[in-house]
Structures are given as structure tokens and as C-alpha cells.
Amino acid sequence: MLIGELAERTGTSRRLLRYYEEQGLLRSGRSPNGYRDYAESCVDRVLQVRGLLDAGLPTRIIKQILPCMDTPRATRISSATDETIATLERERDRMTDRIRCLERNRDAIADYVEAVRKAQDEARSQAVKPAEAAVLV
């Protein structure tokens, strides 16, 4: 697929897709006319990269862990420095804290929605309908 289709399908700008390619996070072939040609699997790869970036990981770390996400058993242990491992542990812990916060927020929203719906249902059941009001007069 061409870069425009990949951009549209992933909600990512063409410029960012080129940047991901420059950083080694994404690969493309070239068609005879020189246009980038992306495989279908690039859609998932771009979404993975965006998710990791949204989680706060820098591209240099993403580049190291992407191969592990494709084939977890093929982890390149020798390429992981102490600094990389420490960075990944900090990021993992930060993500865990963020997940806990998101879960609390989700639960609070769910409780609020449930309370509002319950109050609305009670108000509707106590409301006097027009036909009943005519009989009461």
C-alpha cells in the first residue's frame, strides 16, 4: 500500500510515517516508480509504535523492543544494556501507575453514570403522566 493509505488507515501523518522509517521502526519497499510500498502488517506496526510512544517510550527504546513484540521468544538478550533494562523497568512501573490511575478514573465514571441513570429512572417512575393528571383533577 502507498504511504497515503497507510496514513489514512492508522491516523498517522505521512511525515511521521517517514520519520518512523528513518528511525528504523518501520520498513517499506519501493515500487518501480520509486514510491514507498508498505506491507499490510505495517498497519499493526504503526499502531504498535504509536501506542508505545503514547505510553512515553522514546523511539530508541521502541526500536530495541519491537522485535520482541513480533516474536517474544526471540528476544535479543545480548543487546540489552544495563541502562536499557533500567529504562524499561522505569517505563514499565510508570505504565503500571498510569494503568491504576486510568482504572480508578474508569471506575469513578462508571459509578457516576450508574448513579445518574438510577436517579433518572426513579424520576421517571415518580413523574405523573398526563392521563393520570387528568383523572386526579
Side-chain angles (χ1 to χ4, degrees), residues 26-43:
L26 185 63
R27 290 196 180 104
S28 69
R30 293 286 179 167
S31 63
N33 61 4
Y35 291 159
R36 286 178 168 85
D37 185 25
Y38 294 95
E40 181 67 28
S41 60
C42 288
V43 172

Side-chain angles (χ1 to χ4, degrees), residues 87-103:
T87 299
L88 289 172
E89 288 174 336
R90 281 191 307 276
E91 291 302 324
R92 179 205 56 210
D93 294 345
R94 194 181 61 72
M95 285 181 207
T96 299
D97 291 343
R98 188 169 177 203
I99 289 167
R100 285 186 187 125
C101 180
L102 288 169
E103 287 174 336

Side-chain angles (χ1 to χ4, degrees), residues 39-135:
E40 181 67 28
S41 60
C42 288
V43 172
D44 289 333
R45 173 54 57 104
V46 170
L47 296 175
Q48 245 180 353
V49 168
R50 295 211 35 190
L52 291 168
L53 287 167
D54 288 346
L57 289 172
T59 55
R60 67 180 173 77
I61 298 294
I62 293 172
K63 183 177 179 179
Q64 289 180 331
I65 65 172
L66 273 176
C68 302
M69 297 179 88
D70 291 336
T71 52
R73 297 191 192 328
T75 304
R76 296 183 182 104
I77 294 172
S78 61
S79 67
T81 65
D82 289 341
E83 178 188 353
T84 300
I85 292 167
T87 299
L88 289 172
E89 288 174 336
R90 281 191 307 276
E91 291 302 324
R92 179 205 56 210
D93 294 345
R94 194 181 61 72
M95 285 181 207
T96 299
D97 291 343
R98 188 169 177 203
I99 289 167
R100 285 186 187 125
C101 180
L102 288 169
E103 287 174 336
R104 283 192 308 271
N105 291 343
R106 179 205 56 211
D107 293 346
I109 289 170
D111 290 346
Y112 176 78
V113 168
E114 183 180 337
V116 168
R117 285 193 174 145
K118 184 178 178 182
Q120 288 174 339
D121 290 345
E122 288 174 6
R124 281 189 208 109
S125 68
Q126 294 176 2
V128 178
K129 297 178 182 160
E132 293 172 355
V135 172

